[in-house]
Amino acid sequence: MKILIADDSRVMRQIVIRTLRQAGYDDHDIVEAEDGADALAKVGSESPDLILSDWNMPNMTGIECLQALRAQGSAVPFGFVTSEGSAEMREKAANAGALFLIAKPFTEDTFREHLDGVIA
Amino acid sequence: MTSTDTGQRRRGTDVRPVITDLMDEDTILAVAGDAWISLVGEDEVLVPIPGDLPGDVLSSWVDVVGPWTGSVVLTTGRATAEALSRALLRETAPEVLEVEDVEDAFGEIANVVGGSIKAALPGPSGLSLPQVGHAPLVRNPADVCRVEVLWRGEPLTISVQGALPPLPVPSS
């Protein structure tokens, strides 16, 4: 399975990758994107099976990326990993077609809770 | 239709909460403690003991804009900010840290702490991207909730501070 991780923070991308491994999802290809625009381009070039995206990013936010993907007809599974964990943001994410929203700070248990059944 | 401005409405909208009406130090400590465990490490604790910050400090912060508007500011010694960055990067930390590495890691801690603080405040609110540098000035000393902690024995402060000046005091 190929997982695209979009976050403008390099250190947070590393932490997400590390947490995926700690949660037991350690046998997957990882592709990194540094903002929503980069993620959108890499969906085209890399054909990921799952996107884990931050919300607040320069150039294009995570929700804008998700909306652009759905507008293009892409149904690629999309989940947020973001510090925006309020009920309002969760509702916005779900309405835009996100499968889940993992709020930072997270643990490997949080990852398992949301990703079991999503990651084969 | 015309209406008469009695001043009642204006006074009504002038009621602006200060941060101490909305949260206390324990909330900030709990939020920061969770962020540390998640980002820095399972055994990493923040001890709520004040310490003297060194002369060479670095701050990272995010702005919250909503019913309460202000910043969530972390401040510590530059060397401690670098140690925090190494702790976050772990085995991927380069031998020599670049300024960008510290800005990225220390900024991300402010982002995570700030996001949790924002979630505990009345909404809807917006959250800015993190910034790193000299802390924004305190505009209203009554609109500040601040905790002082030690991480690995080094002092660090977390200040949740309003961005707006105090409201004028009515003359009568």
Side-chain angles (χ1 to χ4, degrees):
Chain A
M1 194 165 180
K2 190 182 276 187
I3 303 171
L4 173 61
I5 296 169
D7 199 307
D8 55 314
S9 164
R10 184 178 77 87
V11 71
M12 186 48 74
R13 295 197 300 271
Q14 294 301 317
I15 290 169
V16 170
I17 293 167
R18 187 162 72 217
T19 309
L20 278 170
R21 291 197 183 114
Q22 287 168 342
Y25 311 115
D26 49 3
D27 193 22
H28 301 283
D29 294 333
I30 302 291
V31 178
E32 297 182 43
E34 58 187 29
D35 56 40
D38 191 21
L40 190 60
K42 282 178 175 160
V43 169
S45 62
E46 299 280 349
S47 302
D49 302 296
L50 172 67
I51 300 173
L52 299 178
S53 176
D54 189 17
W55 191 297
N56 288 324
M57 294 182 283
N59 299 324
M60 179 184 270
T61 65
I63 194 91
E64 288 166 350
C65 176
L66 173 56
Q67 288 163 341
L69 285 167
R70 296 298 181 253
Q72 290 174 6
S74 168
V76 60
F78 191 110
F80 283 102
V81 181
T82 171
S83 55
E84 297 275 13
S86 64
E88 177 208 357
M89 302 311 253
R90 288 178 188 279
E91 190 184 342
K92 272 190 192 173
N95 289 343
L99 286 180
F100 54 82
L101 185 152
I102 296 172
K104 301 171 187 172
F106 47 73
T107 64
E108 56 198 72
D109 290 337
T110 327
F111 266 44
R112 277 195 214 98
E113 192 183 309
H114 289 89
L115 294 173
D116 266 5
V118 176
I119 298 182
Chain B
M1 179 180 156
T2 57
S3 63
T4 307
D5 183 0
T6 61
Q8 192 65 40
R9 232 177 5 172
R10 190 171 56 245
R11 282 195 295 275
T13 58
D14 279 353
V15 176
R16 197 172 70 205
V18 291
I19 194 65
T20 45
D21 296 335
L22 304 170
M23 73 170 46
D24 56 17
E25 287 88 350
D26 287 346
T27 305
I28 299 173
L29 283 172
V31 158
D34 286 347
W36 247 252
I37 288 169
S38 170
L39 297 175
V40 188
E42 275 183 23
D43 303 324
E44 300 287 351
V45 289
L46 294 175
V47 183
I49 296 175
D52 291 329
L53 287 168
D56 187 16
V57 296
L58 191 65
S59 294
S60 64
W61 68 95
V62 288
D63 299 327
V64 177
V65 179
W68 179 83
T69 291
S71 306
V72 179
V73 187
L74 277 65
T75 301
T76 192
R78 192 173 297 270
T80 309
E82 289 173 5
L84 270 170
S85 304
R86 285 195 177 280
L88 261 67
L89 285 162
R90 297 193 196 174
E91 67 278 3
T92 61
E95 208 162 299
V96 178
L97 280 178
E98 302 289 336
V99 172
E100 292 78 18
D101 294 322
V102 179
E103 288 180 351
D104 181 17
F106 195 35
E108 196 53 31
I109 298 176
N111 182 39
V112 173
V113 172
S116 299
I117 295 281
K118 180 202 147 189
L121 291 171
S125 299
L127 191 70
S128 75
L129 293 170
Q131 297 177 75
V132 177
H134 295 293
L137 294 175
V138 170
R139 303 290 302 278
N140 176 6
D143 194 8
V144 177
C145 191
R146 186 172 182 270
V147 297
E148 297 183 33
V149 295
L150 298 177
W151 173 67
R152 295 184 183 175
E154 297 298 328
L156 182 143
T157 66
I158 303 169
S159 173
V160 184
Q161 58 190 57
L164 303 173
L167 291 169
V169 178
S171 54
S172 59

